Amino acid sequence: MTGKQKTVLVVLLGAQFMFAVDFSILTVALPEIGSDLGFGLDSLQWISTAFALTAAGFMLLFGRIGDLIGRKKLFLVGMALLTASSLLGGLATSPELMIVARVLQGLATAIVTPSGMALITTSFEEGPLRTKALGLNGALLSLGFASGAVLGGVLTDLLSWRWDFFINVPVGVALFIGGALVIVDSVAENRPKLDVPGSITVTAGLLAFVYGVTSAEREGWGSAQTWATLLVAAVLLISFYVIELKAAAPLAPVRILKANSVKWGNLGGLATFSMESALSFLLTLYLQQVLGLTPFQTGLMFGFLGLGAFLGGTFASKIIARTGAKGSLVLGLAVQGVMTGVLFWLGQDKTVGIAAVLVTTFVGGFGHVLAIVAYTVVGTSGIEDREQGLATGLAAMTQQIGFTLGIPVMSAVAASQYGELDNGVASVAGVLDGTTFGILVDGLVVLASALVISVLLRSAKPASLAAVRVGDGEEEPSLTVTP
């Protein structure tokens, strides 16, 4: 990489890391926020849901807008919005102001994430350098998600939950200035009109889908409200697909949605993100309610997952150079699935349980980020620069939906095994049975996804014979994926 490319990458990766931290930093602070601002127990979840709804719902739309008006402009608008909304959240004095701040933070995430990823893919040509950049991006995404809860706990304990928001302000200002100075804009040469009917139906459909999934966590999967919302989402998303078939300038051309690499690459992304977020939730229950660890100790335990994730991202480009993007995606999912599944045998022995979680999350985190990098490479390869915003928007949307989908689904799976409840509380044995069963299902879902992708995703083909250095004195042909 040139010095300028390294500087651009630092700014873009800093932004992606910041948003990953934001996704989990409020987790341990929610009870204190609710107490200080007057949230009821039935409305506290909206602090998280408001963020997830807007982040996932608008991701695809802003990915396409970046293609049309310029990704740098959109990146800077998103960073400014994040900085302002974080300041608002830290100063909030009522539930209404807090929800507004979280909606704006989610909107900023939907703006910056696809534009930032598109700027990465367009700043580096398809091949070894792009793979390396995406590898670092994947590492920092998972490291940020894992470390967010730890950072949130430290700030909340030492200062106040308000610093979980305030910390974004100086970082956001620095990234805005850095982006303005070093990022070179990229925009589609031909700028067709925005597909308004497609934009409305896909955004409304995604909002309805995420709302339906999150309402299932509150109301249960047997709730009429849950299924009615999911039905509305299905109708809207099918309508979007039909509109895209006929639109002169579609928001998401069907040829891209149907491309082998985009379709199966994003399936891998959905599996790895949804099941890893679900695993973090299930292990939190196990560590705190079965082994009796404190929230702070639990957060430290996930530091090993973050370390494994960082190493996975560091070595991902070398592994992809040797095995190809498809092989790396299947390998990453297989490692994540196996390391998750073996935790089915967890018990109440504290020493054994802690050791098992540390080892498996470290190795599984390595596989998880390898899968993230590989699915991003697969899903954005063979796509012209003028449509990279769409491709990266799809990848980023998959990420957000995965984060949102995994926990309510696996929460319901675990709850089915809790047994009799005492005033709504499961026994230690019941929690152990529920979490280990959920962990087993989690691992099997990831392994099943790996099997499907290994069969249906077409193999990577060499784009050129340009060599990528993979070790001292060793060179291998660079491998990329074409749809």
Side-chain angles (χ1 to χ4, degrees):
M1 292 186 190
T2 65
K4 185 174 182 179
Q5 283 179 315
K6 291 178 181 178
T7 305
V8 170
L9 193 59
V10 166
V11 173
L12 295 175
L13 293 185
Q16 300 287 41
F17 179 77
M18 182 180 179
F19 282 103
V21 168
D22 276 351
F23 195 90
S24 57
I25 195 171
L26 292 184
T27 303
V28 298
L30 287 178
E32 288 199 25
I33 296 174
S35 176
D36 285 356
L37 298 186
F39 279 91
L41 288 177
D42 58 340
S43 59
L44 188 61
Q45 53 83 28
W46 276 103
I47 297 176
S48 297
T49 300
F51 177 91
L53 270 173
T54 47
F58 289 91
M59 193 77 69
L60 185 61
L61 174 61
F62 281 111
R64 193 50 167 163
I65 289 176
D67 287 339
L68 301 179
I69 70 170
R71 290 131 189 173
K72 177 180 178 178
K73 294 176 186 176
L74 213 57
F75 178 87
L76 295 177
V77 168
M79 290 308 307
L81 180 60
L82 176 71
T83 304
S85 58
S86 297
L87 182 61
L88 177 63
L91 297 174
T93 55
S94 68
E96 292 77 15
L97 278 178
M98 174 57 67
I99 296 301
V100 169
R102 290 296 280 167
V103 167
L104 293 177
Q105 280 190 319
L107 196 61
T109 301
I111 293 172
V112 171
T113 302
S115 60
M117 288 180 66
L119 286 167
I120 290 175
T121 58
T122 54
S123 297
F124 300 91
E125 291 185 2
E126 189 172 320
L129 284 184
R130 181 187 290 183
T131 300
K132 187 173 185 178
L134 291 174
L136 292 172
N137 180 65
L140 290 175
L141 276 176
S142 284
L143 184 61
F145 181 76
S147 60
V150 180
L151 179 61
V154 171
L155 290 174
T156 302
D157 285 346
L158 296 182
L159 298 170
S160 162
W161 61 263
R162 295 184 183 277
W163 282 95
D164 294 348
F165 290 93
F166 288 150
I167 194 172
N168 282 343
V169 176
V171 177
V173 170
L175 290 172
F176 179 90
I177 295 172
L181 293 176
V182 305
I183 294 175
V184 177
D185 204 2
S186 65
V187 65
E189 294 181 4
N190 299 318
R191 304 185 188 184
K193 292 182 179 179
L194 185 64
D195 173 16
V196 175
S199 301
I200 293 173
T201 50
V202 73
T203 302
L206 290 171
L207 287 171
F209 175 74
V210 175
Y211 181 77
V213 171
T214 53
S215 69
E217 192 172 8
R218 303 187 306 273
E219 310 292 338
W221 284 99
S223 165
Q225 175 184 325
T226 297
W227 288 105
T229 307
L230 291 176
L231 179 61
V232 170
V235 171
L236 287 168
L237 292 175
I238 291 171
S239 299
F240 166 70
Y241 186 83
V242 173
I243 289 170
E244 299 309 278
L245 287 172
K246 301 178 180 179
L251 176 69
V254 173
R255 59 183 171 77
I256 292 181
L257 297 176
K258 293 173 67 175
N260 185 270
S261 59
V262 172
K263 182 168 51 180
W264 300 115
N266 279 282
L267 172 65
L270 183 64
T272 191
F273 275 115
S274 62
M275 293 301 101
E276 190 69 11
S277 64
L279 178 64
S280 298
F281 168 75
L282 294 170
L283 286 179
T284 298
L285 293 180
Y286 170 75
L287 292 170
Q288 293 188 21
Q289 298 188 24
V290 177
L291 299 188
L293 271 62
T294 65
F296 182 67
Q297 290 170 329
T298 301
L300 291 179
M301 291 283 291
F302 286 119
F304 270 68
L305 188 156
L307 179 58
F310 184 77
L311 291 176
T314 302
F315 288 98
S317 60
K318 295 182 179 181
I319 297 173
I320 291 173
R322 291 182 179 276
T323 66
K326 172 185 174 179
S328 297
L329 178 55
V330 173
L331 175 62
L333 290 171
V335 171
Q336 178 182 332
V338 170
M339 289 297 102
T340 299
V342 297
L343 290 173
F344 171 70
W345 285 278
L346 286 172
Q348 296 188 39
D349 186 291
K350 194 169 187 177
T351 302
V352 173
I354 289 175
V357 171
L358 289 176
V359 171
T360 56
T361 55
F362 174 79
V363 179
F366 187 99
H368 170 59
V369 172
L370 177 58
I372 291 175
V373 178
Y375 109 80
T376 309
V377 171
V378 171
T380 58
S381 295
I383 305 296
E384 296 179 19
D385 279 358
R386 64 188 177 87
E387 292 178 328
Q388 277 296 325
L390 171 59
T392 54
L394 286 169
M397 183 186 71
T398 296
Q399 167 192 320
Q400 292 296 328
I401 290 177
F403 277 141
T404 305
L405 186 64
I407 292 177
V409 171
M410 285 300 124
S411 174
V413 171
S416 69
Q417 303 297 311
Y418 284 161
E420 293 187 10
L421 302 180
D422 183 10
N423 292 325
V425 178
S427 65
V428 171
V431 173
L432 178 61
D433 290 343
T435 53
T436 52
F437 179 71
I439 285 169
L440 176 62
V441 174
D442 186 305
L444 291 175
V445 169
V446 178
L447 289 174
S449 300
L451 179 61
V452 169
I453 290 168
S454 68
V455 174
L456 297 178
L457 175 61
R458 288 198 289 271
S459 297
K461 299 177 182 179
S464 71
L465 295 179
V468 53
R469 187 163 299 281
V470 295
D472 293 336
E474 296 180 65
E475 291 187 342
E476 292 285 339
S478 62
L479 294 178
T480 55
V481 175
T482 53

